[in-house]
């Protein structure tokens, strides 16, 4: 499918900025093959709407190459993705924001340092065993509920500029209930993809640490934030790159290394990026901050070509 002039300019920006291809001759760009990785064997000619690897023969249409690299399923998904390269600092995808609602903690909520009940002691002992300082958690607003919908759960609140926007309710006692029981979107006014635990750190620190969960971010400290899962949403991406932080170290759980690399491939043209791969069954909370630091030292800052090679290897 031939591309319009406007779309072609976006595609050109993708291949030159994102893949590092360089102008060659007769309208061709030349660089490394996204399929076999051969150095300077891949050519792109937007005027002829074609590509070719002179080693492995990979020869999809330019738009199809981008879909292949980004693992997109439709042309619309690829076109939306290319909005990143339309001459602006970042692309912020449209998101659904419900009518803002007044949100508050559950009625039975108590700060983690308060109370002498058996459950209060269980919560504090549980968190101490996981390596947390109880007084530090109090300053973060962490607590627990003794009755109601979130009974017998630890509550981890999300604040943005001092305003409560969400909370995680995590199970402490083993039973048949789910590990997390969080407030539904219609009660909060925003969905999971619009949330970042400790979002304020993006505006306070030059180097920040992207992690899956609020628990992992709490383990690291004030410069870490949690995205609530393995996948970086478009909204979260936009919030990160428009913030003044300069360096992002991505530390997801071991089973999410592919998602960590994909997130880094989106961020690397806006921030200095490092991806840290943990060993099986490790996460930041289970191994603690000191061992996490040891992991971080093993990995280097990366460029897009490094990430693409890494992704092909896995």
């Amino acid at each position: 499918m031939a591309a319009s002039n406007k779309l072609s300019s976006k595609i050109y920006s993708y291949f030159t900025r994102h893949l590092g291809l360089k102008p060659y001759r007769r309208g061709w760009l030349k660089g490394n093959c996204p399929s076999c990785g051969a150095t300077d064997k891949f050519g792109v000619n937007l005027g002829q709407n074609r590509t070719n690897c002179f080693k492995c023969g990979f020869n999809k249409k330019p738009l199809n190459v981008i879909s292949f690299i980004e693992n997109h399923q439709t042309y619309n998904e690829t076109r939306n993705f290319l909005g990143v390269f339309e001459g602006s600092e970042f692309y912020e995808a449209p998101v659904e924001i419900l009518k803002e609602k007044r949100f508050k903690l559950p009625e039975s909520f108590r700060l983690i340092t308060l109370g002498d009940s058996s459950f209060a002691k269980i919560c504090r002992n549980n968190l101490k065993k996981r390596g947390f300082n109880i007084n530090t958690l109090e300053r973060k607003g962490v607590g627990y509920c003794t009755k109601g919908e979130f009974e017998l759960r630890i509550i981890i609140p999300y604040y943005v500029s001092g305003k409560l926007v969400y909370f995680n309710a995590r199970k402490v006692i083993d039973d048949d209930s789910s590990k997390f029981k969080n407030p539904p979107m219609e009660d909060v006014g925003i969905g999971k993809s619009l949330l970042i635990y400790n979002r304020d750190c993006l505006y306070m620190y030059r180097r920040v640490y992207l992690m899956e969960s609020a628990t992992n971010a709490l383990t690291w400290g004030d410069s870490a934030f949690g995205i609530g899962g393995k996948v970086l949403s478009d909204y979260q991406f936009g919030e990160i790159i428009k913030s003044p932080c300069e360096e992002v170290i991505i530390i997801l759980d071991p089973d999410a290394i592919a998602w960590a690399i994909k997130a880094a491939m989106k961020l690397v043209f806006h921030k200095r990026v490092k991806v840290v791969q943990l060993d099986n069954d490790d996460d930041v909370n289970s191994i603690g901050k000191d061992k996490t630091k040891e992991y971080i030292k093993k990995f280097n800052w990366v460029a897009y070509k490094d990430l693409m090679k890494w992704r092909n290897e896995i």
Side-chain angles (χ1 to χ4, degrees):
M1 182 181 72
S4 66
N5 289 337
K6 185 176 180 180
L7 183 58
S8 293
S9 68
K10 299 179 190 178
I11 296 172
Y12 180 90
S13 183
Y14 177 90
F15 281 114
T16 54
R17 291 178 55 192
H18 213 47
L19 296 190
L21 271 65
K22 305 294 184 184
Y24 184 49
R25 58 187 179 186
R26 297 179 182 176
W28 284 87
L29 300 171
K30 185 174 75 168
N32 300 342
C33 178
S35 181
C36 71
T39 303
D40 287 338
K41 295 296 183 181
F42 181 65
V44 176
N45 191 311
L46 297 183
Q48 297 179 20
N49 193 34
R50 61 185 290 244
T51 73
N52 187 59
C53 176
F54 294 91
K55 182 175 181 180
C56 72
F58 181 75
N59 62 357
K60 294 178 180 287
K61 300 293 186 184
L63 198 61
N64 290 340
V65 172
I66 298 173
S67 297
F68 166 78
I69 292 172
E70 300 299 332
N71 196 29
H72 295 158
Q73 303 302 312
T74 66
Y75 279 119
N76 283 339
E77 189 177 359
T78 303
R79 288 172 185 271
N80 289 337
F81 169 80
L82 286 169
V84 175
F85 306 98
E86 197 175 8
S88 62
E89 287 299 315
F90 68 96
Y91 172 68
E92 189 168 4
V95 294
E96 180 183 4
I97 302 180
L98 305 182
K99 183 179 180 180
E100 184 175 354
K101 299 185 178 183
R102 185 178 179 183
F103 185 61
K104 59 183 181 179
L105 294 168
E107 288 186 10
S108 68
F109 172 84
R110 302 195 73 180
L111 282 173
I112 195 65
T113 54
L114 302 179
D116 294 319
S117 67
S118 297
F119 182 66
K121 294 175 181 178
I122 289 172
C123 288
R124 288 192 284 268
N125 288 335
N126 177 281
L127 291 167
K128 287 177 181 178
K129 288 178 181 178
R130 296 172 70 91
F132 290 113
N133 180 289
I134 299 302
N135 291 325
T136 299
L137 292 181
E138 179 194 36
R139 291 194 294 272
K140 297 289 185 180
V142 175
Y144 61 93
C145 285
T146 56
K147 59 183 179 179
E149 184 179 359
F150 302 100
E151 181 181 12
L152 304 183
R153 291 178 181 271
I154 290 173
I155 305 297
I156 303 175
Y158 287 47
Y159 288 98
V160 176
S161 300
K163 179 182 177 182
L164 178 69
V165 296
Y166 194 74
F167 62 78
N168 285 149
R170 185 182 181 117
K171 181 173 67 174
V172 178
I173 299 174
D174 288 334
D175 56 25
D176 295 332
S177 62
S178 60
K179 183 176 180 180
F180 291 101
K181 182 180 177 63
N182 301 324
M185 185 172 71
E186 55 267 26
D187 290 348
V188 182
I190 56 175
K192 180 180 176 181
S193 66
L194 307 183
L195 292 164
I196 298 176
Y197 177 76
N198 195 28
R199 173 184 174 274
D200 290 351
C201 79
L202 300 173
Y203 295 84
M204 298 171 62
Y205 294 91
R206 175 177 171 271
R207 176 180 296 175
V208 295
Y209 299 80
L210 187 161
M211 300 180 181
E212 281 192 36
S213 68
T215 305
N216 287 336
L218 278 168
T219 299
W220 180 266
D222 292 344
S223 57
F225 63 98
I227 61 172
K230 306 179 190 306
V231 182
L232 182 71
S233 72
D234 289 330
Y235 174 82
Q236 292 167 334
F237 167 65
E239 289 297 299
I240 295 167
I241 65 173
K242 72 183 181 184
S243 74
C245 72
E246 298 175 12
E247 299 176 345
V248 181
I249 297 179
I250 302 173
I251 316 175
L252 301 185
D253 291 352
D255 62 344
I257 185 60
W259 290 109
I261 293 171
K262 187 170 184 178
M265 292 173 79
K266 295 179 70 175
L267 292 170
V268 73
F269 290 97
H270 307 277
K271 309 290 182 181
R272 194 176 183 216
V273 175
K274 178 185 291 192
V275 177
V276 176
Q277 184 174 12
L278 303 178
D279 292 337
N280 290 337
D281 300 324
D282 282 350
D283 64 30
V284 174
N285 180 246
S286 67
I287 63 176
K289 187 171 183 177
D290 289 341
K291 189 170 181 181
T292 301
K293 287 181 180 179
E294 294 176 9
Y295 271 109
I296 292 172
K297 291 177 182 178
K298 297 177 183 178
F299 293 87
N300 298 319
W301 300 98
V302 289
Y304 186 85
K305 63 180 181 180
D306 304 316
L307 293 163
M308 189 165 66
K309 180 180 179 182
W310 192 354
R311 189 182 71 172
N312 289 339
E313 289 174 350
I314 67 169

